[in-house]
Amino acid sequence: MGDTGPIQQAKLVLLGDMGAGKSSLVLRFVKGQFFDYQESTIGAAFLTKTIPEKGVKFEIWDTAGQERYHSLAPMYYRGAAAAVVVFDITNAESFAKAKNWVKELQRQGNPNMIMALAGNKADLAAQRSVTADEAKAYADENSLFFWETSAKTNVNVAEVFNDIAERLPRAAAALPQQPTGGITLTEPAPEQKKKSSCCSTA
Amino acid sequence: MSPGPSRDAYGFQIQCDEGQSAARERCAQSSSKQATKWAKYAQKKSLPSGEKLKKLCRKGIPPEHRPWVWTELSGAKKRRSEHMASYYEAMVDMGESSSEFTHQIELDLARTFPGNAWVCTAEGRAALRRVLLAFSVQNPRIGYCQSMNFLAAALLLALDRSEEKAFWVLVCLIDDGGILYQDTYARDLTGAHVEMRSLEELVAAKLPNLHRHLQSIGCDMTIIGATDWILCLYTTSLPAETAMRVWDALLSEGTKILYRVALALLKTHEDRLLAQDNAGYVQREMKLASAGMHDRDALMKVAFDGVGSMPMARIDTIRVTKQADVEVELAKRSRNKQLREAVSMSERHAPFSSQGLSSLADKIKNAYAAQISRPIEHR
């Protein structure tokens, strides 16, 4: 996309187990910052970042990781153009949870959603309990693209988002912008449900 | 006052513009006036009753009196006296040896107010750890819910770092029959969903313009950030000194205060919110506006005088409806989940071709659907 093209807005959601590093990845990507102790996210945080070279403005929802917040997640991934599912390579349980998220998105999310799997904390490779091969094989089976990332040492963070930006359907950029939720991509017709349906099964 | 970051009375970094600094000074002055009114009660450590108490709490409890006043107001003092003296210590021991939430709690310790001067110390984290572990075994049905880390830390800060007081006030807030709505922190957050939907209803009634706007951009109370209000009780959204003022009234009057403050925040910043045409930006605007609410007197004035009457009976009626909605939805969700698990189990075990497999899956789905359609038909 040249600098003359319109900036395409894309809603992106981060999902994954608590402490996997979702907020840290976003903060690294959006602000270039990293904190050893990132405050736990309750509900969700919203951040934006434009990648001018790609003509994309990401509208990012960074969600809470604890299992019981799961019932809130559909509100954030509904209509999302992309998702980054994050796990911690030193924690096998977090990889299992990541797979569950992928399954849920495949079933309930936008069918054209672009999904990335991020194995975070690559700087702690010495303590790894999920191998890159294992994660890569899973990602290939499920047509996700996969990166091992480190928010701390800034490894492959931009790559994840750039990859997504490149795969966003170009045609959508030409569509007029919708005022709602910044979702301009291939969103299925909104359900005619009244009001909030935070626990809805969609 | 000199510009740049400084710390408030609770050890949180704050950065104020001139207007906010001036507001803080005004609030500090009115707070010291209140302190003289509290002196006689503090001397005898005994609270006035009824309207008098309610009024005093609405104007703010002097920080130095919060340790004894909060433990009385919340029922913590009474609750503690009903248990053996070493109950807290026993819960800590039990939590340390057997809490199923140890890992989650430990993960959150360093992620709880990392910028606070005391919470981030080894001492602060150890205290927080013990309070949360103790709570998680004291109420194993709730256990540990992210957000309780902020509540426990705020309590430790307000209550002279007394773990035992913090523990008992936490119990009085969250346990069944406690101050907060039932199951707010339960394993599927049922109560939090109910509270956020009930708030939505009140916003529709009290701030109809704003509500219409929010609806038109798909921004409900969860999206706007009511999770922080309902679950963290404003400790993560408002400046600490303002949040403590909210707690003064919350512990004295109950959960309707959470609604009053939410409405006050929305009303105070209505214009800023109306100017945003995207749910995400609304949330960000709301967060920024809340973080800058150093004028605690102004916020509480709107909460008490600016949002109209709010009888508890009305809130209760709304809650009953919302509770029913949420229960049906959550039940449906969990049945669907079971169904999917059953199907995927069959896929894993059946040595069939993919066609045979999908017909088997269909059979299972149909069988399940027939079985589960009955109980949800009443909706």
Side-chain angles (χ1 to χ4, degrees), chain A residues 18 37-40 43-44 46 48 57 59 61 66 68-72 74-75 107 179 196 198 201, chain B residues 104 108 110-111 114 142 144 146 149 185 187-189 193 197 220 227 277-278 280-281 283-284 333 340:
Chain A
M18 66 187 279
Y37 303 116
Q38 174 67 36
E39 198 153 288
S40 347
F46 178 78
T48 59
K57 179 180 188 179
E59 300 182 339
W61 287 99
Q66 198 187 19
R68 59 188 82 185
Y69 285 83
H70 199 126
S71 57
L72 296 170
M75 314 195 76
R107 264 190 327 261
S196 69
C198 59
T201 47
Chain B
Q104 294 190 7
D108 274 344
R111 311 200 305 147
I142 306 277
Y144 172 68
Q146 280 195 304
N149 52 328
Y185 302 88
R187 298 198 184 202
D188 48 11
L189 302 181
H193 285 295
R197 289 175 187 212
D220 64 16
T227 38
D277 61 3
N278 171 314
Y281 295 97
Q283 194 224 41
R284 191 155 68 182
R333 197 185 159 87
R340 284 192 302 267

Side-chain angles (χ1 to χ4, degrees), chain B residues 212-257:
Chain B
R212 259 194 304 280
H213 175 67
L214 294 178
Q215 263 204 319
S216 75
I217 57 172
C219 182
D220 64 16
M221 289 299 119
T222 307
I223 300 274
I224 206 171
T227 38
D228 278 320
W229 305 342
I230 301 294
L231 288 153
C232 301
L233 308 180
Y234 296 98
T235 55
T236 49
S237 34
L238 295 172
E241 287 165 331
T242 310
M244 299 296 184
R245 271 293 292 278
V246 174
W247 283 51
D248 289 341
L250 168 71
L251 297 175
S252 139
E253 294 180 54
T255 40
K256 73 157 78 170
I257 298 303

Side-chain angles (χ1 to χ4, degrees), chain B residues 263-276:
Chain B
L263 288 162
L265 279 172
L266 293 167
K267 183 172 175 166
T268 304
H269 302 291
E270 187 167 6
D271 290 344
R272 279 173 81 168
L273 302 177
L274 284 170
Q276 302 299 332

